[in-house]
Amino acid sequence: MSLSVPPELHHDLVLVEHLLRERMRARLAIISMVGPHLIADPSDRLRALMVLAIARLGNRSGEQVAHAAAAVELIEAATRAHDNLIDEQARRAGRVANGAWDHGVALMVGDYLFALAAGEMARSPDPRIIGLYSQAVMQICEGQLIQVTSLAHREAALTAYWQRAEALAGSLLAAAAQAGVLCGGLPEPLLEPAAQLGLHLGLARQLAGEIRDMEADGALLQAGSVPLALLYAAGEPPVPEVQAVFTNPAPATIAAALPIIRATGLPAARAALAKQQDAARQALAQLPVGITTPWLAALIDQIGGLA
């Protein structure tokens, strides 16, 4: 995803990039073995920008805020490193894959990145940020344990989908927005609307990615993911083609299911995306108006087009 950086945040983001480069320098070769883009792509800094933009609503910026922003990017990189250990399709089927040497490297790199993030949290201007980020990491771990294991009962499947999405796509961005409140010296009651802004932005971003994938080639299905559009298309009892791709996401089953998912599932998924955007706008309206408010408003409008 490529984000536009507002001029008022450019200097702060440069500080964040400097911190990330300095922290990663010693182990960059090993980290790149797990994922060359774990932390190397400066065009996707949504979490850091959320910290910086919300802090600017309180007219705060500088190195301490940058530490909080760097911490959340290191946490995101750590979770992505650990994601390399997970085979979604096998786990949904109740199978546990045997470990391999590269799994051990991914585990150690993820742990190393979490340790680096802890160091940045300690340098942040408010100790409560440690609690916010720690809670988000716990939610992410819990979300990884939630699976849509059956299409037989659509409401149960939808409940599991949203619980997992809120944990994996929304919790860290919500914590980043709350960290911005604390970094900006804003009143404590603003923590909740900030969290809602981050949560709904994260959910909207996930839905937008799923929708684009269903409109394209269904790569998420091949990877074992269960997009919202599939659940809406499943029906009760499940449509055979959708059940088949859920059970065995092979090229033939994907090709058979995609037209059904596009016709019956995508309209509901698009409506869900619009609902998340509206909820994000409502949350932003509860925050004070500042120099970065127009950028945050534009981000909500554009999130449907961001990968």
Side-chain angles (χ1 to χ4, degrees):
M1 178 176 96
S2 183
L3 288 168
S4 62
V5 179
E8 54 270 20
L9 295 183
H10 179 76
H11 175 70
D12 291 345
L13 192 59
V14 168
L15 288 177
V16 173
E17 293 300 327
H18 173 74
L19 289 172
L20 293 173
R21 285 195 303 271
E22 287 300 307
R23 303 299 182 254
M24 304 285 288
R25 191 187 304 276
R27 297 291 181 267
L28 188 58
I30 296 176
I31 292 167
S32 296
M33 289 174 58
V34 175
H37 303 298
L38 277 181
I39 205 154
D41 185 3
S43 68
D44 181 6
R45 292 283 185 252
L46 181 57
R47 294 148 297 273
L49 285 167
M50 185 61 61
V51 177
L52 300 173
I54 300 293
R56 276 298 183 97
L57 298 181
N59 295 316
R60 300 284 180 85
S61 61
E63 189 167 345
Q64 281 195 310
V65 180
H67 284 302
V72 75
E73 290 296 335
L74 288 164
I75 292 170
E76 167 66 12
T79 61
R80 279 190 276 142
H82 284 169
D83 281 348
N84 288 343
L85 303 172
I86 298 169
D87 181 337
E88 292 292 351
Q89 184 180 348
R91 189 173 58 173
R92 206 173 70 218
R95 303 193 304 270
V96 178
N98 293 325
W101 74 270
D102 54 338
H103 279 202
V105 174
L107 180 62
M108 287 186 289
V109 166
D111 291 348
Y112 178 70
L113 292 168
F114 275 129
L116 290 178
E120 297 307 305
M121 285 186 262
R123 296 176 176 90
S124 299
D126 191 309
R128 289 176 291 178
I129 291 172
I130 298 173
L132 291 175
Y133 286 166
S134 298
Q135 182 65 32
V137 171
M138 287 189 284
Q139 288 178 276
I140 291 169
C141 294
E142 291 166 359
Q144 290 285 11
L145 300 175
I146 299 170
Q147 292 293 313
V148 178
T149 57
S150 172
L151 299 181
H153 303 287
R154 188 167 69 172
E155 288 307 314
L158 286 169
T159 297
Y161 172 90
W162 285 113
Q163 289 176 341
R164 179 177 170 86
E166 287 182 7
L168 300 185
S171 62
L172 191 56
L173 200 54
Q178 289 183 303
V181 168
L182 297 179
C183 288
L186 294 166
E188 189 169 327
L190 295 180
L191 286 170
E192 180 56 27
Q196 291 300 307
L197 172 60
L199 171 66
H200 293 296
L201 268 177
L203 291 173
R205 186 187 186 196
Q206 171 165 317
L207 288 170
E210 290 180 0
I211 290 167
R212 278 191 306 280
D213 184 74
M214 294 301 99
E215 291 171 337
D217 58 1
L220 288 174
L221 299 174
Q222 183 72 51
S225 296
V226 183
L228 184 64
L230 182 149
L231 298 179
Y232 280 128
E236 287 189 292
V239 176
E241 292 87 349
V242 178
Q243 180 64 60
V245 79
F246 177 82
T247 304
N248 177 31
T253 59
I254 292 172
L258 270 179
I260 299 170
I261 295 172
R262 289 167 181 158
T264 62
L266 277 183
R270 292 190 185 102
L273 168 58
K275 185 176 180 179
Q276 294 302 322
Q277 289 175 292
D278 287 342
R281 292 186 188 100
Q282 292 172 19
L284 178 60
Q286 298 177 59
L287 297 176
V289 175
I291 192 171
T292 52
T293 299
W295 179 79
L296 288 165
L299 177 63
I300 296 170
D301 293 339
Q302 296 165 6
I303 199 73
L306 298 178

